Amino acid sequence: MAPEMLQSALPAEETAVLDEAHVGDIRGALGTIRQHDTGARRGWGARLLTLAAIIGPGIIVMVGDNDAGGVATYSQAGQNYGYSLLWVLPLLIPVLVVNQEMVVRLGAVTGVGHARLIKERFGRFWGWFSVGDLFVLDFLTIVTEFIGVDLALGYFGISKYVSVPLAGGGLVVMTASGSFRRWERFMLVFVAANFLVVPLAIFSHPHSGPLFHGLAVPGIAGGATSTAVLLIISIVGTTVAPWQLFFQQSNIVDKRITPRWINYERADTVLGSLVTVAGAVLMVVTCAAAFSGTRYHGGFVDAGAVASALGATLGHAAGALYALVLLNASIIGAAAVTLGTSYAFGDFFGAHHSLHRRFSDAKGFYASFAGLVAVAAGIVLIPGAPLGTITLAVQALAGVLLPSASVFLLLLCNDREVLGPWVNRPWLNAVASLIIGVLLVMSLILVVSTSFPRVNVGALSAVLGGALAVALVVAGVYFGLRRPERTMAERVAVVPGEERSTWRMKPLALLGRPPWSRSRVVVMWSLRSYLVVAVLLLIVKAVELGGKP
């Protein structure tokens, strides 16, 4: 159905939705909500049944980010630094919740994906800038997921020429089934398998004293060396990734979640962040406890070596459990990142992009998914491929691109044409700006230290942190003085509760283009210039590393 036909089919609720598959009943893995259900959920039983039907996008995107790279990073933190870096992980909960809650509102209120919003509200140039970078990063991330599959099943003696093609084929079959509910049930099985880390942590016999001390008291075993600071940045980068924004918004749209159910999707997102951080903590704890006082302490190589070392110190069952955790993380990560990329492809090029559709109805969508999987898996199978360089590039690129992705997110969430009464509150803008500032500082540290390994990372961190503090204070004073008590536009945007729950963005063609102030133009072009220079430096470094024997 053409976009114009869809809009005419929905005269009572004219929205920006282009794909009719994104309109209808919510058919989640654990329940169904009818499209026109407006009944109040007064009892806890009714609310829990509704949450069960809604749950999915939030917990999948969060657990999906504990992927192969995440497992390796958390294992390195525990093996090399014991319990001392645990304090970093709880701090990521508010970062995850703030970022993804904005995505929840964008998806439910607009009915379109993140890539399309950026293209339509900022223009094709900035759309290509944002989505093009995303495609490159996501593709390299998918390669690392298949590296994880190889390392995990290699523990059991299975050749990568068997394991990688089987995993890739399974992902395509699972995704191209033509049923959103069936896909979500598959994914929730992988979410449940994530809890295998619990018995793994129990096998390691952790000590409660050092564990709680590590969670509550910031510190770094051995001091704040360059290696330790970069590992902390890697922990943040592997837990908070750009693809999450694109995946969750499109998945919310595909699941047909509307503003009436935003609070339930917020709960789904918070639950996902708690599960994700808990899993990360248990992975760090496992390696900290298992390798303390052994020859393996401080000797992290890769996730495959960790599985072997756990088998040697705790027994074969522990090594096998770790390998299964790594395999599960690799599959759910590959599934989520690849699907998020295919969603963005459909969004940007206007193709059908829904898991409710069969292959014959969305050839481009499913072909892009299968193509990404096939090429990424093929690279892992190439003898002598620079897989270590690819893994390093993923971490570096994620750190570089995350601040820019968060800037677009913040701008969209302050666009009244897009979100109307659902725009950010001032306090949320302040928190989000602080998060973006911290991410930008981390991005700068990562780029400079990767390009110039001899730089003093501790001193660089102190200088950039001080500059950020000054910039935030100046910005706070500036905007505090400029902001009137309430503008007329804000008064108009106040909508009663029931009307707010049904407010949807109009078709994008009917919206006025957002005005660009001089300060916004300067900030956006400065950000673009930084990213171009940073990516070029990282490419030079990657080529240099790839050329070394």
Side-chain angles (χ1 to χ4, degrees):
M1 184 182 292
E4 312 85 57
M5 295 175 63
L6 174 61
Q7 294 300 339
S8 63
L10 299 169
E13 189 181 357
E14 193 176 32
T15 70
V17 176
L18 286 181
D19 193 332
E20 65 268 26
H22 294 158
V23 179
D25 297 344
I26 296 173
R27 299 184 182 276
L30 306 177
T32 298
I33 300 174
R34 298 300 175 188
Q35 180 182 356
H36 300 295
D37 183 347
T38 59
R41 270 61 175 176
R42 301 191 185 282
W44 279 106
R47 292 171 182 169
L48 288 174
L49 287 175
T50 303
L51 177 61
I54 295 293
I55 202 167
I59 197 167
I60 290 170
V61 74
M62 295 295 187
V63 175
D65 209 40
N66 273 2
D67 59 355
V71 169
T73 303
Y74 306 140
S75 300
Q76 182 179 2
Q79 183 170 357
N80 290 1
Y81 295 92
Y83 300 97
S84 68
L85 298 183
L86 282 174
W87 57 273
V88 176
L89 295 168
L91 296 178
L92 297 179
I93 294 175
V95 177
L96 288 167
V97 171
V98 167
N99 266 10
Q100 298 306 125
E101 188 278 336
M102 289 192 282
V103 170
V104 167
R105 279 183 284 126
L106 282 174
V109 174
T110 68
V112 299
H114 205 65
R116 182 170 170 232
L117 273 183
I118 291 175
K119 183 183 76 170
E120 296 293 341
R121 299 305 285 163
F122 299 100
R124 293 188 68 86
F125 173 81
W126 293 104
W128 277 112
F129 165 62
S130 177
V131 177
D133 291 342
L134 176 81
F135 285 163
V136 173
L137 175 60
D138 283 3
F139 174 72
L140 294 176
T141 302
I142 298 163
V143 173
T144 65
E145 308 301 358
F146 284 110
I147 295 173
V149 169
D150 172 32
L151 293 175
L153 291 180
Y155 180 81
F156 301 103
I158 300 175
S159 167
K160 68 178 180 180
Y161 297 103
V162 175
S163 61
V164 171
L166 282 177
L171 282 173
V172 174
V173 170
M174 178 182 75
T175 305
S177 67
S179 167
F180 185 98
R181 170 172 283 174
R182 189 178 299 122
W183 171 85
E184 192 168 75
R185 284 175 174 169
F186 275 125
M187 295 300 284
L188 290 185
V189 169
F190 292 119
V191 169
N194 180 69
F195 289 95
L196 286 173
V197 73
V198 175
L200 181 61
I202 293 173
F203 280 164
S204 69
H205 305 293
H207 301 291
S208 59
L211 191 161
F212 289 113
H213 182 271
L215 285 171
V217 181
I220 303 175
T225 63
S226 297
T227 303
V229 172
L230 290 178
L231 181 57
I232 291 173
I233 295 173
S234 296
I235 292 172
V236 176
T238 196
T239 310
V240 186
W243 69 263
Q244 292 175 284
L245 312 180
F246 291 82
F247 171 83
Q248 188 173 4
Q249 185 167 331
S250 290
N251 202 233
I252 286 169
V253 173
D254 204 7
K255 192 165 182 177
R256 304 162 176 171
I257 294 172
T258 61
R260 184 174 295 279
W261 315 111
I262 277 181
N263 284 337
Y264 290 96
E265 182 53 32
R266 284 168 169 160
D268 177 31
T269 301
V270 172
L271 177 62
S273 69
L274 295 175
V275 169
T276 295
V277 171
V281 166
L282 291 177
M283 186 59 64
V284 173
V285 166
T286 295
C287 293
F291 299 135
S292 177
T294 72
R295 64 188 178 90
Y296 298 105
H297 176 73
F300 176 83
V301 177
D302 59 35
V306 172
S308 299
L310 287 173
T313 56
L314 301 179
H316 178 71
L321 262 181
Y322 180 91
L324 291 175
V325 168
L326 175 61
L327 176 64
N328 181 71
S330 302
I331 291 175
I332 194 171
V337 176
T338 311
L339 181 58
T341 311
S342 298
Y343 274 141
F345 175 89
D347 254 330
F348 198 82
F349 294 105
H352 285 161
H353 52 292
S354 173
L355 294 171
H356 293 285
R357 291 185 176 278
R358 296 188 177 279
F359 181 84
S360 58
D361 294 328
K363 294 185 179 69
F365 173 59
Y366 289 119
S368 65
F369 185 96
L372 284 167
V373 167
V375 178
I379 288 176
V380 176
L381 298 179
I382 296 174
L387 302 182
T389 302
I390 291 174
T391 302
L392 176 63
V394 167
Q395 291 179 334
L397 278 175
V400 169
L401 298 179
L402 184 57
S404 68
S406 298
V407 167
F408 283 115
L409 175 64
L410 183 59
L411 292 175
L412 287 171
C413 285
N414 281 279
D415 189 335
R416 292 192 177 277
E417 293 271 5
V418 170
L419 285 184
W422 292 97
V423 293
N424 280 3
R425 303 296 187 191
W427 68 266
L428 182 55
N429 283 330
V431 173
S433 298
L434 172 61
I435 290 172
I436 291 172
V438 172
L439 294 175
L440 182 58
V441 166
M442 289 187 169
S443 171
L444 284 165
I445 294 171
L446 188 60
V447 169
V448 173
S449 59
T450 302
S451 304
F452 308 100
R454 295 183 180 179
V455 71
N456 186 322
V457 174
L460 178 64
S461 302
V463 170
L464 292 177
L468 173 63
V470 172
L472 290 173
V473 170
V474 171
V477 172
Y478 174 74
F479 286 109
L481 293 175
R482 283 192 60 192
R483 178 180 173 80
E485 290 188 10
R486 299 195 69 162
T487 65
M488 180 59 69
E490 288 175 316
R491 292 192 184 101
V492 172
V494 175
V495 176
E498 184 57 32
E499 292 182 32
R500 191 168 183 260
S501 70
T502 58
W503 197 95
R504 304 297 301 276
M505 183 182 74
K506 295 178 182 179
L508 284 162
L510 301 182
L511 304 185
R513 273 294 177 90
W516 279 52
S517 64
R518 183 177 301 174
S519 59
R520 175 178 291 192
V521 171
V522 170
V523 168
M524 294 300 290
W525 278 101
S526 298
L527 182 62
R528 166 127 181 115
S529 300
Y530 160 68
L531 290 177
V532 170
V533 172
V535 170
L536 287 175
L537 286 173
L538 292 176
I539 290 174
V540 171
K541 189 65 178 180
V543 171
E544 178 186 324
L545 291 174
K548 291 182 178 180

